[in-house]
Amino acid sequence: MAQKAQPIRPYGDRRDDGVVQLSFTFPVPLSEKAKEAAAQFVKKMGLTDVKVAAALPAAASYTMFVVYARASHFIDYSEIDIPEVVLKKLGFDELNRLIEEKLARKVVVIGACTGTDSHTVGIDAILNMKGYAGDYGLERYPWFEAHNLGSQVPNEELVRKALERNADAVLVSQVVTQRDVHLDNSRAFIEEAKRAGIHGKVLLLLGGPRVDHKLALELGFDAGFGPGTRPSEVANTIAHALLKKLGKEPASQHYEGEPH
Amino acid sequence: MVRAMPGQFVEDSQVEYARQLAREITEPIFEMIRRHTTVSIERTVLRLFGLCGAGAGGVPLANLMVDRLKAAGVLSRGAAYWYGRALRMGAKSPTEAVERITAASDHLLAPLLAEEEARMEEEVRSEARSAVEELRRRIAHRDALRAELPMPPPPHRYVIVATGNIYDDVDQARAAAQAGADVIAVIRSTAQSLLDYVPHGATTEGYGGTWATQENFRIMREALDEESRRLGRYVQLTNYSSGLCMAEIAFCAASERLDMLLNDAMYGILFRDINMRRTFIDQYFSRRICALAGIIINTGEDNYITTADAYEAAHTVVASQFINEAFAKRAGLEDRQLGLGHSFEIDPDRPQTLLLELAQAMLIRRCFPDALLKYMPPTKHKETDIFFSHACDVMADLVAIWTRQGIQLLGMMTEAMHTPLLADRYVALKAAAYVHRAARGIDEELLVREDGKIARRARQVFGNALKLLEECRREGMVAAIGQGRFGDVRRTETGGKGLEGVLEKGPGYFNPFLEILEARE
C-alpha cells in the first residue's frame, strides 16, 4: 500500500532544525587541539554547524566532549517498517479469567538466565511472586504455572525442563552484555531449541537490558522485551499468543499497531 | 569522636538487644564451624606456607595437593600436617612438598609415632609463624603508604572497572583515580565465584570482568601505588572474597596489599547457591585473615533489595547487618573494618522516597555508629534514560554524605546498559564530589524530628528487623534461610554447590595458622 512520504529530521528548538547532541571521549589530554579534533570528527559524520559545548578532563590523558551540530539529511517516516508488540492489556483478574474460560488449564512458563549469565534481576522481576514496580510476577497469577530456574542454567537443561513440563512458553533472560555475550547465549539457546524440536512450537521469549522485539525476532525468538518491561506485559503477550496459536482468539483481537 | 546522630529513633537498649539476638543466632553456626574445615581453607594453608603456581593444564598446585590428600582420605588431619610430613620426606620447598605428596603411595601416608608428630608439628608451627610475620611485613608496607598519602574524608568514592583484561583495567583504574576515585573495584569474571580454585597468573580474557588472581592483584596494586604517589592521595583497591574460594582470595588479597574485599557471611548462599555449611566455614577463616591484614570487608545486604522490594524488605537488610556484624566480630574484625552494605533502591515513582531513603540510611548509621558502612547506588530502577538515571545517582550522593557513609559506590548513568564508559566515571565522580562538598556538615546541622515521618519509618523498620531476628533465633539460621527470609531466596543446608568440599576435622587436625590468627585476641 503506497503511503504519503513523511520526511522528518531531529527537532532541537525549531521544526526541522536538525539539531543533535553528542557526547564522546578522545584518548588525548584536554587542549585546543583536542577540541578542534572533536569538531572535525563530528563534521566527518556529515553534520554541520558544529559547536563543541564542553571539553572536559575526564582523566590526565582523556577528554570528554559534549557537542551540538545540525543534520541536513532526513528520514522518510512513512517507509519505516518495524514490528512492535503493542497490547491492549488486560488487568490481572481479567487475564486470569480469560485463560480460565478459553484455555481451561494453567499456562506453563519456564524461565532462566542462561549460559554464563548470573544476574537474575530481570527474570526474578518477571516471574517471582513480588514482580516489579508494583506489578505482580507470573508466580502470583493463579492461571499461570511459573518456574524460575535461576542463573547460569545450561541451554540443554532449560530445554529439557521445558519438554518435561510441557511448557507453553520459555523465557530467556540475558543481563550481561559484555562482548555481546547475550547474543552468543541467545543464539546457542535457539540452536538447542531447534535441535530439540520445540522451536516454532513453544513460545520463546527473550528479555534483557539490550534486547528489543526486533532483535529477538532476528535471533529466532517469538518476542523480545527490553528494560522496564512489566510482568503483566509478558503475561498478556504469552496468553494472547497462545490463544491465537490454538485458534481460540482472532489474530488481531488484542493487538494494535502491528503492520498490516 | 562522638558526634550527634541526625536522629536517635530507638533506645540504646533496643539496639543492644538486637546485637544480643544476632550473637545467639550465630552461636550454633560457630559450633559447626569449629568442627569442620574445607578444601579451600586447606589450600589457603598451603598458600600461606608459600605455595603458589600451577601445574599441567593450569591446575593450581594447592589444588593438586589438597585433592590428592582428599582422595587418600587423609585431609581431615589438615594440609599443614601433610606439609610437615612432606618436609620430613625431604621436600625443600612448598613445590617439592606437592611433588612428594602427590607421588607418595598411600602407605607412606600412614601415621607416625606420637612424639615424632609433636616434634614435626612444632617445626611446622615455627614456619607458620615466620610466614605470618612475612605477611605482616607486606601489610605494614601498605599501611605506611596510607599514612604517607592521606585519603580525603569519607564517603570514599568507589568505582568499578571490568574490562576482562588486567592491563586495560589498569588504564581505566588510573583514569578513574585521576578523576577523583578513592576506591577501585575490579569486577570479577562472571561465574568465578563457582570455581573451586583460584586461577593463576596475569589474565587478559574474562566475561563481564577480570579473573581474580594473585598476579592480577599485584599488577593493579602496583599501578595504584604509583598513581597514589603521583596524585598525593592513597587510592584503595578492592576485590571479591566470595564464592567457593573466600579464604584463598583473602590470602591473595592480604599478600598483595589490597585494602578491601567484598565478604559476606550469606551472599554466596543466597545469590550464588553455594552450600550453606561451606560458606559459613569459609567466611570464618577468610575473615580471620582479613582481621590480621586490616582489610575492610564490604557485606552484601544491598543485594536483598535488588531481588525483594526495597520498601517492603528494608528490615531484612538491618537484621542481616546485625548477623554479619556478629559473624565478623567473632572472627576478630573491628568496627572500622566493617563496610556493612545497604543501598538506595526504593522505587523512585513512590512519593517521599528521599525521606524513606534517609530513614533507612540514618537508622543503619544509628545502629552501627562506628562501622564504616558501604552505600550502594540505585540499580534496580535504573533506566536507559541516562539523564534521569544521573539525577537518581545525585540523590544517592546526597543521602550518602548526610548519613556519614564510609564508602559510597557511585552510580553510573549508563548502568542499565553496559559496564561504564570511561567518561561515565568522570561524570559520576564530578557530581559526587560536588554534592559531598556542598552538603558536608549537613548531618550535624539538621536534626531529624523524633515525631516525624523519617523517625516513624526508621522505628517501623527497626521493629520489623527485631521481629525477624527473634524469628531467626527461635527457628535457627538454617530454617530462616530455608524459608526465604533474606532476599526472597530459599536455600537448604545440604543444597547448593561445594558441600563435597566440606569435611569434618579429624582427631589430630592441625592448622597452625588458625591457632595464630585466633590467638591474636
Side-chain angles (χ1 to χ4, degrees):
Chain A
M1 183 169 63
Q3 290 188 351
K4 197 166 164 276
Q6 190 189 351
I8 56 167
R9 65 165 67 100
Y11 187 122
D13 80 337
R14 295 278 157 75
R15 179 166 297 279
D16 286 342
D17 61 11
V19 169
V20 293
Q21 57 189 22
L22 299 98
S23 180
F24 56 89
T25 303
F26 273 163
V28 296
L30 171 56
S31 66
E32 286 306 313
K33 187 174 171 181
K35 283 194 227 175
E36 179 53 27
Q40 288 192 21
F41 179 74
V42 173
K43 277 182 199 137
K44 277 197 169 179
M45 295 168 107
L47 302 172
T48 61
D49 293 8
V50 176
K51 288 186 192 67
V52 177
L56 305 160
S61 53
Y62 295 91
T63 306
M64 171 186 168
F65 301 96
V66 178
V67 180
Y68 290 88
R70 286 173 193 264
S72 53
H73 55 288
F74 65 86
I75 288 291
D76 183 354
Y77 197 62
S78 70
E79 286 181 354
I80 304 294
D81 182 13
I82 181 96
E84 267 181 272
V85 184
V86 182
L87 290 167
K88 281 186 255 171
K89 214 166 79 176
L90 296 181
F92 184 82
D93 294 330
E94 277 178 300
L95 189 68
N96 279 307
R97 214 161 27 241
L98 180 78
I99 299 169
E100 183 179 2
E101 284 165 11
K102 295 221 167 178
L103 197 62
R105 65 163 176 84
K106 289 186 180 189
V107 178
V108 180
V109 178
I110 293 191
C113 292
T114 57
T116 48
D117 203 338
S118 64
H119 298 73
T120 58
V121 50
I123 197 76
D124 288 346
I126 301 300
L127 291 185
N128 286 7
M129 202 66 93
K130 278 247 159 66
Y132 168 63
D135 196 285
Y136 292 143
L138 267 52
E139 279 182 357
R140 179 83 64 123
Y141 286 70
W143 286 90
F144 272 90
E145 181 188 323
H147 302 276
N148 184 352
L149 303 186
S151 67
Q152 295 178 340
V153 176
N155 290 319
E156 300 75 25
E157 190 182 328
L158 179 56
V159 168
R160 197 180 63 240
K161 286 269 162 63
L163 284 167
E164 264 172 36
R165 305 242 177 209
N166 216 358
D168 296 301
V170 177
L171 304 187
V172 173
S173 174
Q174 287 292 307
V175 174
V176 171
T177 57
Q178 251 215 350
R179 291 168 198 260
D180 283 340
V181 67
H182 63 304
L183 300 182
D184 297 341
N185 282 347
S186 301
R187 286 192 192 101
F189 170 78
I190 290 294
E191 285 309 307
E192 185 58 32
K194 284 181 178 164
R195 220 179 347 259
I198 64 168
H199 188 257
K201 293 190 181 136
V202 178
L203 289 167
L204 306 178
L205 288 79
L206 180 65
R210 290 270 293 279
V211 171
D212 58 38
H213 188 52
K214 182 163 177 277
L215 173 73
L217 294 183
E218 282 168 9
L219 289 168
F221 287 82
D222 296 297
F225 298 93
T229 300
R230 302 289 195 262
S232 57
E233 294 167 36
V234 178
N236 270 270
T237 301
I238 293 173
H240 293 311
L242 186 62
L243 293 175
K244 196 162 77 172
K245 198 179 76 177
L246 298 172
K248 292 177 189 280
E249 198 173 85
S252 61
Q253 183 159 335
H254 289 278
Y255 294 85
E256 54 192 2
E258 279 204 330
H260 299 292
Chain B
M1 178 176 55
V2 180
R3 289 195 292 172
M5 286 289 161
Q8 185 69 18
F9 307 142
V10 287
E11 298 292 326
D12 287 347
S13 59
Q14 290 288 92
V15 178
E16 189 34 53
Y17 175 52
R19 260 195 185 97
Q20 182 56 34
L21 286 171
R23 279 192 291 266
E24 290 170 18
I25 290 164
T26 51
E27 185 55 41
I29 294 171
F30 278 101
E31 286 301 313
M32 189 272 296
I33 293 170
R34 250 191 299 280
R35 285 184 285 109
H36 293 85
T37 184
T38 71
V39 286
S40 169
I41 289 174
E42 298 308 318
R43 294 194 300 256
T44 308
V45 165
L46 295 176
R47 286 178 186 272
L48 276 157
F49 280 122
L51 182 64
C52 55
V59 181
L61 296 179
N63 284 67
L64 280 180
M65 177 147 160
V66 167
D67 290 350
R68 166 75 181 107
L69 293 170
K70 186 159 178 274
V74 298
L75 186 59
S76 63
R77 291 217 65 174
Y81 171 85
W82 294 108
Y83 174 66
R85 289 287 296 269
L87 297 183
R88 279 178 55 95
M89 290 177 205
K92 296 280 184 293
S93 68
T95 313
E96 279 185 35
V98 177
E99 286 163 9
R100 303 270 167 169
I101 290 293
T102 49
S105 54
D106 285 2
H107 77 272
L108 274 176
L109 305 179
L112 302 175
L113 293 173
E115 58 196 72
E116 265 185 284
E117 300 219 316
R119 202 164 43 242
M120 179 197 85
E121 289 187 0
E122 207 33 64
E123 283 163 22
V124 173
R125 238 179 228 115
S126 150
E127 194 173 325
R129 276 192 294 273
S130 315
V132 171
E133 275 321 302
E134 169 57 22
L135 194 57
R136 279 189 216 270
R137 267 194 295 280
R138 298 176 75 90
I139 292 152
H141 174 66
R142 178 198 65 195
D143 292 347
L145 194 62
R146 278 200 214 172
E148 182 191 332
L149 305 168
M151 289 181 270
H156 285 152
R157 296 182 277 265
Y158 172 132
V159 298
I160 63 168
V161 298
T163 68
N165 178 328
I166 188 62
Y167 302 105
D168 292 341
D169 282 344
V170 162
D171 286 346
Q172 294 203 358
R174 283 180 188 272
Q178 291 158 9
D182 300 308
V183 185
I184 302 293
V186 181
I187 297 290
R188 295 202 297 184
S189 188
T190 299
Q192 179 165 2
S193 54
L194 304 182
L195 296 184
D196 214 338
Y197 64 92
V198 178
H200 180 71
T203 67
T204 55
E205 283 290 334
Y207 280 105
T210 307
W211 297 105
T213 72
Q214 189 168 348
E215 179 63 5
N216 285 348
F217 289 179
R218 187 192 65 75
I219 291 168
M220 182 58 88
R221 186 60 259 174
E222 276 189 6
L224 289 180
D225 281 355
E226 200 181 287
E227 205 58 45
S228 298
R229 285 205 183 83
R230 191 179 308 169
L231 295 167
R233 61 181 169 82
Y234 186 81
V235 181
Q236 303 177 78
L237 175 61
T238 183
N239 208 286
Y240 299 79
S241 164
S242 57
L244 288 169
C245 297
M246 292 179 89
E248 284 174 281
I249 293 283
F251 163 75
C252 295
S255 190
E256 300 307 333
R257 303 177 284 114
L258 266 63
D259 303 275
M260 293 178 191
L261 285 172
L262 187 116
N263 181 296
D264 190 287
M266 293 191 282
Y267 175 84
I269 303 168
L270 299 173
F271 298 101
R272 290 291 178 269
D273 196 13
I274 290 171
N275 174 259
M276 210 182 277
R277 288 183 200 153
R278 175 73 179 262
T279 301
F280 285 138
I281 299 163
D282 281 346
Q283 64 85 30
Y284 175 68
F285 196 62
S286 69
R287 286 180 172 189
R288 277 284 170 200
I289 294 173
C290 290
L292 173 87
I295 288 176
I296 292 161
I297 63 159
N298 292 329
T299 64
E301 281 86 354
D302 39 276
N303 290 284
Y304 299 168
I305 48 182
T306 59
T307 49
D309 179 77
Y311 180 81
E312 304 291 338
H315 64 289
T316 64
V317 170
V318 180
S320 172
Q321 287 174 327
F322 279 109
I323 294 170
N324 246 320
E325 181 197 51
F327 275 120
K329 288 289 173 75
R330 281 289 286 269
L333 288 158
E334 295 171 22
D335 281 318
R336 61 181 176 82
Q337 289 174 275
L338 300 186
L340 297 173
H342 62 140
S343 61
F344 182 101
E345 280 284 21
I346 299 172
D347 183 352
D349 284 342
R350 275 179 180 270
Q352 299 187 311
T353 53
L354 178 61
L355 305 191
L356 294 171
E357 296 288 8
L358 280 172
Q360 179 79 357
M362 284 175 176
L363 170 67
I364 290 167
R365 180 37 89 207
R366 187 264 175 273
C367 292
F368 306 95
D370 303 314
L372 262 186
L373 303 185
K374 175 204 71 165
Y375 201 45
M376 297 286 285
T379 55
K380 186 179 183 178
H381 297 282
K382 266 292 163 98
E383 296 187 5
T384 47
D385 171 356
I386 58 169
F387 304 104
F388 181 71
S389 171
H390 188 54
C392 290
D393 290 336
V394 168
M395 195 74 102
D397 292 339
L398 179 62
V399 175
I401 179 86
W402 202 333
T403 58
R404 300 178 196 159
Q405 301 302 310
I407 304 156
Q408 187 197 348
L409 271 86
L410 299 192
M412 296 289 141
M413 61 185 181
T414 58
E415 191 108 38
M417 281 166 277
H418 44 62
T419 47
L421 301 187
L422 187 128
D424 295 341
R425 295 194 196 91
Y426 167 74
V427 169
L429 285 160
K430 186 175 179 180
Y434 158 61
V435 174
H436 292 171
R437 186 166 67 239
R440 192 163 295 283
I442 194 169
D443 55 321
E444 288 179 278
E445 290 296 316
L446 300 180
L447 299 183
V448 173
R449 50 192 297 178
E450 283 291 321
D451 62 345
K453 290 197 169 74
I454 292 177
R456 277 203 301 276
R457 168 68 181 166
R459 279 194 287 271
Q460 179 202 7
V461 172
F462 184 81
N464 289 337
L466 269 192
K467 272 190 220 128
L468 177 54
L469 287 168
E470 283 170 340
E471 227 169 81
C472 290
R473 184 185 53 174
R474 207 168 42 241
E475 301 168 354
M477 208 45 214
V478 172
I481 293 175
Q483 283 158 19
R485 297 277 185 256
F486 299 97
D488 277 356
V489 184
R490 290 162 208 267
R491 304 292 186 207
T492 60
E493 192 175 2
T494 51
K497 303 168 189 85
L499 180 61
E500 68 285 353
V502 174
L503 61 160
E504 202 157 347
K505 291 177 184 174
Y509 178 75
F510 179 55
N511 182 345
F513 293 106
L514 191 60
E515 294 169 10
I516 296 169
L517 294 171
E518 286 185 335
R520 287 179 70 244
E521 279 162 34

